[in-house]
Amino acid sequence: MFDAPGPRVFATPPGADFAAELVAGLRTRMAGAPPEAMARVTLWLNSQRMARRVTQAFAEAGPGLLPRLRLVTDLAQDEALPGLPQPVPPLRRRLHLARAVEALLDREPGLAPRTAIWDLADSLAALMDEMQGEDVPPNRIAALDVSEHSAHWQRMQRFMGILAPYFGDRSDPDVQTRQRLAMDRIETAWQAAPPPGPVIVAGSTGSRGTTARLMRAVAGLPQGALVLPGFDFDLPDGVWDGLADAMTAEDHPQFRFDRLLRALDLAPRAVARWTDRPPPDPTRNALVSLAMRPAPVTDQWLTDGASLRDLPATTEALTLIEAPDPRGEALAIALVLREAAEAGTRAALVSPDRTLTRRVTAALDRWGIRPDDSAGRPLGLSAPGRFLRHVAGLFGERLTSTMLLTLLKHPLTASGGSRGPHLLFTRELELSIRRTGPVFPVAADLRDWATRQNTPAGTWADWLATAMEGLDAVGRRPLADHVRDHRALAERLAAGPDAERPSGALWDAAAGEAARGEMDALEWEAGEGGVLGPADYRALVAGILAAKDVREAVQTHPDIAILGPREVREHDCALLILGGLNDGSWPQSPPPDPWMNRQMRLGAGLLLPERRIGLAAHDFQQAVGAPRVVLTRALRGAEAETVPSRWLNRLTNLLGGLPDGDGQGALAAMRARGARWTALAARADTPRSVVPPAHRPAPRPPVEARPKTLAVTGIRTLVRDPYAIYARHILRLYPLGPLNAEPDARLRGSILHRILERFAVDRPEGDARARLLEIAADVLAQEVPWPAARLLWQARLARATDHLLSVDADLGGVPVVIEEKGTARLPAQDFTLTARPDRIDLLADGRVHIFDYKTGAPPTEKQQASFDKQLLLEAAMAVRGAFGALGGPRDVAGITYIGLGSGLQRQTSTPEASALDAVWSELETLIASFMAHAKGYTARRAMHGERFPGDYDHLARFGEWEMTDSPRPEDVG
């Protein structure tokens, strides 16, 4: 195939369809050879996807034999390498490292928290993989000058000691060590007997140590060659010379090629074109090449930029979309892809921003377009992955109602039979939990609930209770036990109570098969995991599932794809959309390195953080050379304005500074083409008909439907938010309790009233303070399942005990009414007022004193005058004999609010008879007004402030109207 002496390096320019060009060049060079000669060619490719593209390109070119396809990621694949040991599974190595880290932290707890064991093991595994791939032994790192980082270096040395044993023994190699061992054998074999046919490494940049070593070996073979993707033929020699310093040039897209050529002792001009076919737009490649020049030589924009002419024609196939926000960017991209689908154009979105790609996928779904997403999604986010994570979270934790219902509502739960009864029972159980709890359900609670149901829920509840019983008691134990019980519980819950399939649909489809494979691997390696606690096991399972991607079998559009930036070299699309071109997204910010800084990495021979940026820059340079390109970014993110990607910034700055070639006009035209798509996106999100906002409601139901009975606390609501009375007492809409109950102010008030009620009823002789605290401890133990809240509330009550007892001693008498209901009629309005006072004491002179306990601050005088008339109304009721336990009407000696909030307070007043008559008269007037048909139940009529939410604000459409809007009465019913 090759007549000229080596080493031989060929390349394709940015924008070229690499697979098609590779096949075309091969067929051209083999044109005069017999058909079987192609089968003697060995192609080393950079990925499995590239291998599929090359196979497809051969098929499209016509019938013929294929070359032998190999992958640089697995040098031992299909190679005769006797004595090469199999690699250690990465999971086993991770378990080894985790055990070593745990042992180290047991000896030296100050190095790191125990919760970081799995994160440290992951980080060490990544560092070891890099060290083995770049052939950096631990002693080279130990020899670094770290005088300025002594404290950090001492900590690092502890962890580096964990890695040292894995570099000495090659009988149990990791993946990267096995790659190097395979390369040793390949080089030895080639030196003894070079391959008889051509050997070509194609599509790789040589960014990893072993791959670069393979490329150097192939380039030295008699019939060896390299074919590089996206080589910049427009870059001047002087710029190539400046790429030698990795500290300043590694973020350049051509840096890896420069390093490879220097290792081969070749000049950039020695790189030949693999085919004679020009790139889609040579002038655009020259423009981008100039824009990507290293920072120290960007002054060349002024000199070399003068040679660029007719820039509007050069950028005619470039579109720049600058959307106002990420949603607008995603919708604009979706519209571009939709147009391509309608026109039959192969198009792809290229972006490292997975949030953006998910938004675009969701936007395309409105038109029934499902793109072929090459990345798939993490297994941990699939249905089996989420289910397994939920089940793992049950061990070693008290079961909460949220955890229980999250699991019961999962689509895989009880998927082994009919799910209808399961969903029905789950719904009924949720309603019961929202109404009455418990917060932490146990097996007995589930069985008790089933006995109270009218439906036959016993078998279902027994299945669930049996499965959940004893899980909170699981502690530290061998990993094998964790895996066994986890898998058994997952399969049991997936099967359901009347299972026709032993594990339901848990292991079905691609995601289920992948999840089963990961659990099988974990079970196989469990013996290497040692002893773990439930939290450690949860972290391990979550990490394993998150590390694997799965592509589920779905019918995708044949012309629309979503690619990662590295896959650009394998594309065959006429249109590429480079999305998310903002700094931090493309290029992505290098992750923090907990072990070494840039200077230490350079001295050790490890990869610099800028390597990621350089690889991303090379991907960008290849992608922007496609036949048609759309560049997109969002001007503003979720919190602030965004910064354009450095490459987009360079391109726009260069165009803006080239007046001779009308660069500013070219940039304006690019933005104008993009503005069309942002305008379409805005129109697509604009409703065809404008829906007017809801008005402030004031419904007027029939008088006969209006409530004839209210509690004194309801009168306050009737004054402040009449709409809430309408919704609750007329529409009969009752708010559901929260699913995830918390120790909030409402519960705290209920508990306090229960404690004081018991204390007032049972008042034996002796130490009243001790008795009150004993009652408090008993009630809190029974009613408050949160240990922290229980201790906090008990401490607060202990602080308030002396205050309560002093009020009792100063003002109290004999408690007669304690949380007992009283009623008073308003005959003229045919209305009954009810009350359930916290406490009414009968004094020695026959009068009564009314108390009300507040866990917060008592109402102010203005609030009592305006709407909070609870105690005044209760006093007026007592005067009218509303409380049977008082034996008839009683004069009121005083009313007292006892505040038990952050500041202990008491507000005592003695209402005059005239004041109580006035309050009663106001009540009659208020009720009479609402018994008139013309009176509507206005929403949020006199709220204390907008920040106080109501249970029915969503029903009243609050937010579409403002508090300053006038209500609009409307007849209903």
Side-chain angles (χ1 to χ4, degrees):
M1 181 181 291
F2 306 111
D3 298 329
R8 304 171 195 85
V9 180
F10 301 90
T12 61
D17 183 346
F18 184 80
E21 293 297 300
L22 176 64
V23 171
L26 272 175
R27 292 178 72 91
T28 299
R29 287 169 171 78
M30 303 292 288
E36 65 272 14
M38 185 65 77
R40 289 195 289 269
V41 177
T42 301
L43 274 182
W44 289 89
L45 302 174
N46 62 305
S47 68
Q48 189 65 53
R49 185 182 181 89
M50 179 66 81
R52 290 195 300 268
R53 281 283 297 116
V54 168
T55 303
Q56 177 186 354
F58 268 107
E60 292 172 353
L65 296 176
L66 287 176
R68 290 177 290 181
L69 304 182
R70 303 287 187 267
L71 297 180
V72 298
T73 54
D74 189 357
L75 298 179
Q77 181 187 22
D78 300 329
E79 292 290 327
L81 301 176
L84 187 65
Q86 289 298 315
V88 174
L91 175 59
R92 183 185 305 172
R93 186 64 78 215
R94 185 185 180 200
L95 293 173
H96 290 168
L97 290 173
R99 292 179 63 181
V101 170
E102 183 178 23
L104 176 61
L105 295 185
D106 287 341
R107 296 192 304 269
E108 302 182 54
L111 290 177
R114 290 190 59 86
T115 54
I117 287 175
W118 295 104
D119 290 335
L120 286 170
D122 280 342
S123 183
L124 284 172
L127 177 62
M128 186 170 69
D129 181 82
E130 183 181 349
M131 291 171 62
Q132 292 172 341
E134 302 302 316
D135 197 15
V136 177
N139 57 9
R140 186 185 302 175
I141 296 178
L144 293 174
D145 181 9
V146 292
S147 56
E148 298 181 0
H149 310 280
S150 57
H152 173 74
W153 181 246
Q154 288 177 3
R155 288 192 297 272
M156 182 183 171
Q157 280 184 318
R158 304 290 195 279
F159 292 101
M160 291 301 294
I162 294 175
L163 299 183
Y166 299 110
F167 285 81
D169 184 11
R170 294 196 171 191
S171 62
D172 199 19
D174 293 285
V175 173
Q176 290 299 328
T177 298
R178 187 172 185 268
Q179 281 278 85
R180 288 193 291 107
L181 293 175
M183 194 61 229
D184 291 342
R185 286 165 170 75
I186 290 173
E187 282 185 324
T188 302
W190 285 353
Q191 288 172 1
V199 180
I200 301 172
V201 177
S204 179
T205 61
S207 60
R208 296 302 300 264
T210 308
T211 305
R213 185 177 164 191
L214 171 68
M215 295 173 73
R216 291 194 299 268
V218 168
L221 291 175
Q223 285 294 299
L226 310 179
V227 183
L228 307 179
F231 187 82
D232 190 351
F233 291 99
D234 298 303
L235 203 62
D237 292 340
V239 179
W240 282 107
D241 294 339
L243 298 181
D245 187 359
M247 292 293 284
T248 60
E250 185 153 8
D251 60 350
H252 190 271
Q254 302 296 311
F255 171 80
R256 271 137 296 281
F257 294 154
D258 177 77
R259 185 168 57 179
L260 176 64
L261 294 175
R262 291 178 187 274
L264 296 174
D265 196 22
L266 289 177
R269 296 303 167 195
V271 178
R273 292 180 181 269
W274 179 246
T275 66
D276 295 331
R277 188 180 306 173
D281 194 332
T283 58
R284 194 199 313 160
N285 280 359
L287 172 67
V288 174
S289 174
L290 180 58
M292 303 289 281
R293 297 272 176 95
V297 296
T298 47
D299 60 295
Q300 296 171 0
W301 287 7
L302 298 174
T303 56
D304 294 1
S307 62
L308 299 176
R309 298 294 179 179
D310 196 11
L311 290 173
T314 298
T315 59
E316 186 177 5
L318 284 180
T319 299
L320 176 57
I321 295 177
E322 294 176 312
D325 52 43
R327 175 181 170 83
E329 180 187 10
L331 187 51
I333 293 172
L335 287 167
V336 176
L337 292 173
R338 175 188 171 180
E339 183 185 66
E342 291 174 345
T345 302
R346 288 189 61 80
L349 166 62
V350 182
S351 178
D353 187 348
R354 294 300 296 162
T355 301
L356 174 63
T357 60
R358 285 194 292 268
R359 284 195 178 112
V360 172
T361 301
L364 286 172
D365 188 58
R366 69 171 68 179
W367 303 301
I369 299 174
R370 185 186 291 272
D372 181 12
D373 191 343
S374 65
R377 61 173 170 170
L379 179 58
L381 298 182
S382 67
R386 291 179 185 273
F387 185 79
L388 289 171
R389 289 192 291 118
H390 290 326
V391 174
L394 299 175
F395 293 93
E397 296 285 340
R398 293 182 70 184
L399 181 67
T400 67
S401 55
T402 304
M403 294 165 58
L404 176 62
L405 289 168
T406 298
L407 191 63
L408 291 178
K409 291 185 177 184
H410 194 283
L412 290 178
T413 303
S415 57
S418 174
R419 293 194 80 229
H422 167 76
L423 295 177
L424 174 63
F425 296 148
T426 298
R427 174 182 177 276
E428 296 299 327
L429 178 61
E430 178 180 359
L431 292 175
S432 175
I433 288 175
R434 286 182 181 273
R435 294 189 188 107
T436 60
V439 179
F440 300 103
V442 295
D445 296 323
L446 297 173
R447 293 189 173 98
D448 290 344
W449 167 83
T451 59
R452 298 193 303 268
Q453 300 303 301
N454 295 325
T455 54
T459 302
W460 182 83
D462 190 64
W463 158 75
L464 186 58
T466 304
M468 298 296 181
E469 204 161 13
L471 298 181
D472 58 332
V474 173
R476 289 179 61 82
R477 57 180 181 173
L479 175 58
D481 294 346
H482 281 295
V483 178
R484 182 196 63 237
D485 291 350
H486 179 203
R487 187 165 185 165
L489 179 60
E491 292 181 345
R492 182 172 187 175
L493 292 174
D498 53 349
E500 300 173 2
R501 302 169 61 191
S503 57
L506 177 58
W507 310 124
D508 289 356
E513 292 172 1
R516 184 169 191 166
E518 295 301 310
M519 292 302 295
D520 286 343
L522 182 58
E523 190 172 18
W524 180 263
E525 302 293 347
E528 307 290 336
V531 178
L532 282 74
D536 295 332
Y537 178 72
R538 286 195 297 272
L540 172 62
V541 170
I544 290 173
L545 297 176
K548 183 170 182 64
D549 291 330
V550 60
R551 295 191 64 190
E552 299 181 71
V554 293
Q555 186 67 36
T556 60
H557 196 285
D559 293 330
I560 306 301
I562 294 178
L563 305 176
R566 196 207 57 77
E567 296 165 321
V568 165
R569 68 189 74 167
E570 298 140 15
H571 85 90
D572 60 340
C573 299
L575 169 64
L576 286 185
I577 303 171
L578 312 188
L581 284 171
N582 282 325
D583 210 43
S585 174
W586 199 355
Q588 293 178 317
S589 301
D593 187 348
W595 308 112
M596 287 177 283
N597 59 25
R598 294 174 71 249
Q599 194 65 44
M600 293 169 66
R601 282 184 157 273
L602 180 66
L606 293 173
L607 303 173
L608 295 181
E610 287 77 8
R611 168 183 172 271
R612 292 173 178 262
I613 298 177
L615 290 173
H618 183 249
D619 297 335
F620 174 81
Q621 188 175 18
Q622 290 186 96
V624 81
R628 283 181 55 206
V629 178
V630 178
L631 310 171
T632 77
R633 62 177 292 256
L635 297 176
R636 186 175 181 84
E639 299 178 353
E641 292 185 2
T642 58
V643 178
S645 167
R646 62 192 69 185
W647 309 311
L648 181 59
N649 221 1
R650 281 168 166 265
L651 183 60
T652 55
N653 287 343
L654 176 59
L655 287 172
L658 295 176
D660 293 342
D662 195 12
Q664 295 178 355
L667 182 57
M670 290 168 55
R671 285 183 166 139
R673 290 189 288 271
R676 169 177 172 262
W677 293 109
T678 54
L680 285 175
R683 287 180 57 190
D685 263 359
T686 302
R688 294 184 178 181
S689 59
V690 178
V691 179
H695 58 265
R696 187 176 187 179
R700 296 187 301 199
V703 173
E704 59 271 16
R706 303 192 181 197
K708 301 295 191 294
T709 302
L710 283 178
V712 291
T713 53
I715 299 301
R716 176 178 59 193
T717 305
L718 186 63
V719 173
R720 296 181 64 179
D721 190 7
Y723 188 87
I725 297 295
Y726 164 74
R728 185 179 185 92
H729 295 275
I730 299 176
L731 298 184
R732 306 286 182 179
L733 298 176
Y734 304 104
L736 285 174
L739 177 60
N740 188 19
E742 295 179 352
D744 54 12
R746 181 177 299 181
L747 178 63
R748 186 167 68 247
S750 174
I751 295 299
L752 174 66
H753 284 79
R754 197 164 302 174
I755 292 171
L756 296 178
E757 177 185 354
R758 283 185 52 182
F759 176 72
V761 171
D762 183 14
R763 305 183 70 174
E765 299 294 333
D767 189 348
R769 188 177 193 279
R771 176 60 181 158
L772 179 58
L773 294 179
E774 181 183 346
I775 292 173
D778 185 44
V779 172
L780 288 170
Q782 293 180 14
E783 305 294 338
V784 181
W786 300 275
R790 191 161 56 235
L791 293 174
L792 178 62
W793 292 357
Q794 190 164 5
R796 286 182 176 179
L797 188 61
R799 181 173 59 86
T801 298
D802 293 336
H803 174 65
L804 284 168
L805 294 177
S806 67
V807 172
D808 189 66
D810 294 342
L811 305 174
V814 178
V816 176
V817 176
I818 300 174
E819 297 283 351
E820 295 179 16
K821 186 177 180 179
T823 60
R825 291 277 298 160
L826 280 70
Q829 291 77 26
D830 188 22
F831 181 83
T832 301
L833 181 68
T834 67
R836 195 178 294 274
D838 290 347
R839 175 180 161 191
I840 300 179
D841 282 12
L842 182 63
L843 305 181
D845 58 4
R847 296 183 297 169
V848 295
H849 199 111
I850 305 176
F851 296 92
D852 188 73
Y853 302 108
K854 296 292 184 184
T855 55
T860 64
E861 292 184 6
K862 289 184 177 181
Q863 290 173 340
Q864 294 182 52
S866 299
F867 56 83
D868 203 334
K869 303 176 183 292
Q870 177 182 345
L871 284 191
L872 289 173
L873 287 174
E874 290 177 358
M877 292 175 67
V879 170
R880 288 161 175 77
F883 301 102
L886 297 180
R890 295 281 183 175
D891 291 335
V892 178
I895 57 176
T896 297
Y897 285 102
I898 304 176
L900 301 175
S902 56
L904 302 177
Q905 305 176 45
R906 78 176 179 184
Q907 291 183 4
T908 301
S909 61
T910 303
E912 300 291 339
S914 58
L916 296 182
D917 290 340
V919 167
W920 199 255
S921 177
E922 291 174 4
L923 173 66
E924 292 176 330
T925 302
L926 176 68
I927 298 302
S929 69
F930 277 96
M931 289 302 177
H933 178 73
K935 182 71 171 180
Y937 289 82
T938 301
R940 299 179 68 88
R941 173 185 171 275
M943 299 296 287
H944 187 56
E946 287 194 30
R947 63 189 178 89
F948 290 94
D951 289 333
Y952 303 98
D953 284 351
H954 61 296
L955 188 64
R957 308 291 288 272
F958 178 54
E960 295 185 38
W961 50 268
E962 298 179 355
M963 295 289 292
T964 54
D965 294 348
S966 299
R968 185 184 300 178
E970 183 179 2
D971 290 340
V972 296

